[in-house]
Amino acid sequence: MDFLTLPKRTSGTRTYGLTSVVDFGTPIGELKNILADYSPYIDIAKIGIGSAVVTPNIKEKIELYKQFNIIPYCGGTLFEKCYFQNKLKEYQTYLHDLGVNWVEISNGTLDIPIEERLYLISLFKQDFHVISEVGSKDCHKEMPVSEWRKEMQLLLEAGCDYVITEGRDSGTSGIYKQCGNIKSDLIKELLRDIDHNKIIFEAPSAKHQMYFINEIGPNVNLGNVKLTDVLVLEAQRCGLRSETFFLEEHECNLP
């Protein structure tokens, strides 16, 4: 339908405008069908929490994502489990054996000091692309805006490809209040100093996704997207839903 004027979307191998899905155990057969139709709308796939360890045919699943030019990686909880048990070398070997070359360094469950995370990034980035997460999964733990900003800037300067803002798959912690509302003042402050093309905002629900699309534009990076929501999200990005119907074409520096 080339006759419609829609917001311009990045395409192909995107560096921004990313949709990062979370896979909590989608069966291989079902995943093949989903990717056959919707892979052009998916850029990154996180094997959620530490579920990679118990996922049947995990190597086959990783290869399937790669066949569709989707970057697979393991959730930060698995990294934290390995860190807690002093098994990071074994974890690196495990990722290499799986054919995974992206890693998430997070502190959502453990309180890992920023200095330690920066050191770990320097080690991992020798062999991996690194994504790092900021924010806690504990909905009662509040971080000052200045700390959010400082950590995100330090992580990007240390060589992370992207930083993720914690939101959980429930949207009830990190950049969200316990009731699920977005901490909009926090988001606006972060956008003042940090390149939003380097931030992946965890946005598990349509309500959260539409906020970021309207606030930042159709090419905002969104994470923790359910596989079953990929098509609807793309429609939202293109102004094809009531809440984004009047979405203006934001400048997105398309090549």
Side-chain angles (χ1 to χ4, degrees):
M1 296 180 70
D2 295 337
F3 55 83
L4 285 178
T5 300
L6 302 176
K8 292 181 180 179
R9 281 284 283 128
T10 50
S11 60
T13 303
R14 298 181 180 93
T15 57
Y16 64 98
L18 306 176
T19 292
S20 178
V21 299
V22 59
D23 186 331
F24 282 122
T26 307
I28 287 286
E30 182 181 343
L31 183 61
K32 287 179 181 177
N33 290 332
I34 292 172
L35 297 185
D37 285 347
Y38 303 145
S39 59
Y41 306 136
I42 305 171
D43 305 285
I44 301 174
K46 176 172 69 175
I47 310 301
I49 53 177
S51 66
V53 174
V54 295
T55 297
N57 305 313
I58 181 62
K59 196 162 188 177
E60 182 182 351
K61 175 172 280 192
I62 294 297
E63 287 303 316
L64 181 60
Y65 276 119
K66 291 167 72 174
Q67 286 171 22
F68 283 94
N69 298 314
I70 296 167
I71 296 168
Y73 77 98
C74 298
T77 301
L78 184 54
F79 158 79
E80 292 185 50
K81 191 76 169 181
C82 294
Y83 174 84
F84 184 69
Q85 295 188 2
N86 196 28
K87 300 289 184 181
L88 288 182
K89 287 185 178 180
E90 291 84 349
Y91 184 47
Q92 288 178 309
T93 301
Y94 171 77
L95 295 178
H96 280 304
D97 290 344
L98 282 183
V100 171
N101 58 5
W102 286 67
V103 65
E104 179 182 340
I105 293 178
S106 67
N107 68 327
T109 302
L110 299 177
D111 188 9
I112 305 175
I114 183 63
E115 293 79 12
E116 176 73 358
R117 279 178 279 148
L118 293 173
Y119 168 70
L120 293 171
I121 289 166
S122 71
L123 295 181
F124 273 89
K125 75 176 184 178
Q126 298 176 34
D127 298 300
F128 297 89
H129 291 276
V130 180
I131 300 176
S132 195
E133 190 174 59
V134 178
S136 173
K137 296 184 187 301
D138 185 350
C139 61
H140 300 293
K141 185 175 180 179
E142 288 288 338
M143 281 177 62
V145 174
S146 59
E147 191 173 342
W148 277 90
R149 186 188 296 112
K150 178 182 176 182
E151 286 200 6
M152 292 171 74
Q153 289 173 332
L154 287 172
L155 293 168
L156 289 171
E157 290 169 3
C160 289
D161 290 78
Y162 299 96
V163 289
I164 302 172
T165 57
E166 175 67 72
R168 301 209 73 176
D169 57 288
S170 58
T172 55
S173 65
I175 57 173
Y176 302 105
K177 299 176 183 178
Q178 190 173 1
C179 64
N181 290 339
I182 297 164
K183 297 176 182 176
S184 56
D185 289 343
L186 168 63
I187 300 302
K188 289 174 182 177
E189 285 299 319
L190 295 179
L191 293 175
R192 290 179 189 274
D193 300 313
I194 302 169
D195 180 2
H196 62 79
N197 290 331
K198 290 292 186 178
I199 305 173
I200 299 176
F201 299 95
E202 290 195 336
S205 75
K207 171 186 174 182
H208 301 141
Q209 294 157 13
M210 288 184 289
Y211 167 82
F212 286 108
I213 291 169
N214 282 313
E215 187 71 23
I216 298 173
N219 291 301
V220 60
N221 302 321
L222 297 175
N224 264 10
V225 177
K226 299 177 181 66
L227 276 162
T228 52
D229 291 346
V230 166
L231 186 65
V232 173
L233 171 56
E234 191 63 27
Q236 292 170 175
R237 290 183 185 273
C238 293
L240 297 171
R241 182 169 179 158
S242 177
E243 289 83 353
T244 61
F245 191 90
F246 298 103
L247 186 66
E248 294 180 0
E249 293 189 39
H250 290 65
E251 286 188 72
C252 52
N253 301 316
L254 286 171

